[in-house]
Amino acid sequence: MERKKLWLIYGMLTLATATWGSAFIAGKFAIESFEPATIAFLRFLGAAILLFPIMWFFEKNRPKPTIKDWGMFALLGLTGIAIYNICFFLASKHAPVIKSSLFIAANPMLIVLLSGLFLKEVITKKQIIGLFLALTGVVLIVTEGNTGVITQFQFEMIDLVLLGAVITWALYSVLGRVVLKKYSPIVSTTYAVAFGTVFLLPFSLVEQPWNAIGTATPAAWLSIAHMSVLVTVVSFILYYYGIQQIGAARASIFINVMPLSAVIMATIFLGETFTASSMIGALFVLSGVYVGTYVHKKRIKRLRHAS
């Protein structure tokens, strides 16, 4: 794999995970009008409507899925689309942002562990060092430098919801690596979103969304549209492409960009203060991503021969 292509992949992963950071902001606006499962359903319904024409146009020669493949797509939809997003929006409503961010910051570690166990991906010392640097930065950012706040948290039921979010996203990333051996990122994302939307429908109906549709604010609808188009269609395809090219373990390091992006966007759109601890944390995150993804020229040559 050439250095230029490698940096292009890194740029795409950075853009994808930075865009996911905006979901924290958009979710806060959407949750004022809709319940969690309904937000997730509307988000992915909109994404599915966009994704299928894209897939039909660009992937005319896509492989025909087998029964086993449909089962894998269903698992992707259940984990990374349905369960993860219900947990995410429940946390947006009931959990402090600090606690939610800290839980999600554990995702890369779990993905690396599962990738090593089930995908037999080689985990390097640099990746581990990079993960710890990035995790340190995330903790500094979300606690605003007051790391003692972590010890003040008490166990609550919402913690199980957050734990569910972490586990299901890790499974989604690892399972996706398997699916991507046969299908393109566009096809994989489209089918996963389709199944996830179907799984979300009954949960949304329980919330009786028709009562909220007429009173929802323009900001809520714009937030859902933003999450459908940019956070889902564009970013999910970019993320899956990154996993396909460099593996789930190395791609997962970029997830640490998400809370950094969320803090910067909260500063811009919500008027929150970008503190010195946020700046130091940002440097840790960027350093961690660089250390964890840096590939020596000799290894690039080996990767080029292997690809």
Side-chain angles (χ1 to χ4, degrees):
M1 186 181 296
E2 295 180 358
R3 179 176 288 272
K4 287 184 179 179
K5 183 179 180 181
L6 194 61
W7 282 108
L8 177 62
I9 293 167
Y10 290 166
M12 293 167 71
L13 284 166
T14 301
L15 177 61
T17 51
T19 304
W20 287 345
S22 66
F24 285 93
I25 314 302
K28 287 295 183 184
F29 287 110
I31 204 71
E32 293 177 0
S33 297
F34 296 103
E35 293 298 316
T38 299
I39 296 173
F41 172 73
L42 292 174
R43 167 187 175 178
F44 288 101
L45 176 63
I49 291 171
L50 292 172
L51 280 167
F52 272 98
I54 292 173
M55 182 183 71
W56 291 329
F57 183 79
F58 289 104
E59 302 287 339
K60 292 183 174 66
N61 298 320
R62 61 189 179 277
K64 185 177 180 180
T66 63
I67 294 176
K68 182 180 178 181
D69 294 338
W70 286 123
M72 290 295 291
F73 289 132
L75 279 174
L76 290 175
L78 182 64
T79 55
I81 307 300
I83 299 177
Y84 172 79
N85 278 274
I86 289 174
C87 292
F88 177 84
F89 290 115
L90 276 172
S92 295
K93 186 174 183 179
H94 298 292
V97 173
I98 290 178
K99 180 178 281 191
S100 299
S101 301
L102 286 171
F103 265 86
I104 291 173
N107 248 321
M109 287 292 186
L110 185 56
I111 293 172
V112 166
L113 178 62
L114 294 178
S115 297
L117 286 175
F118 298 109
L119 302 180
K120 307 303 179 184
E121 290 189 10
V122 177
I123 311 302
T124 66
K125 290 182 180 179
K126 284 186 177 181
Q127 283 178 297
I128 299 299
I129 293 170
L131 278 168
F132 275 108
L133 283 172
L135 182 61
T136 300
V138 169
V139 171
L140 286 172
I141 291 169
V142 299
T143 62
E144 297 182 350
N146 182 20
T147 54
V149 73
I150 300 173
T151 62
Q152 298 172 11
F153 288 136
Q154 295 180 343
F155 178 79
E156 299 172 322
M157 288 303 296
I158 196 66
D159 294 346
L160 294 176
V161 173
L162 287 164
L163 182 61
V166 171
I167 292 172
T168 50
W169 185 259
L171 289 172
Y172 177 78
S173 296
V174 174
L175 289 170
R177 175 68 165 166
V178 177
V179 172
L180 288 166
K181 291 178 180 179
K182 182 176 179 180
Y183 296 93
S184 72
I186 292 176
V187 174
S188 303
T189 302
T190 301
Y191 287 140
V193 165
F195 274 104
T197 305
V198 172
F199 291 141
L200 285 165
L201 178 58
F203 293 98
S204 176
L205 292 176
V206 170
E207 295 172 348
Q208 300 180 343
W210 47 86
N211 294 327
I213 288 176
T215 58
T217 64
W221 285 113
L222 283 173
S223 296
I224 290 172
H226 167 76
M227 288 188 285
S228 291
V229 179
L230 295 179
V231 180
T232 302
V233 175
V234 176
S235 298
F236 271 54
I237 291 173
L238 293 179
Y239 180 68
Y240 255 10
Y241 181 75
I243 288 178
Q244 185 185 53
Q245 295 298 311
I246 65 172
R250 197 152 31 129
S252 71
I253 297 174
F254 288 87
I255 294 175
N256 293 288
V257 175
M258 181 167 59
L260 170 60
S261 168
V263 169
I264 293 174
M265 291 186 186
T267 303
I268 297 172
F269 298 107
L270 302 180
E272 296 185 8
T273 304
F274 192 73
T275 62
S277 59
S278 297
M279 179 65 72
I280 295 171
L283 292 175
F284 268 97
V285 170
L286 295 175
S287 298
V289 170
Y290 177 78
V291 170
T293 58
Y294 177 76
V295 180
H296 194 271
K297 287 183 179 179
K298 289 183 179 179
R299 192 173 172 215
I300 289 176
K301 290 180 180 179
R302 291 198 299 269
L303 289 170
R304 187 185 304 159
H305 291 307
S307 61

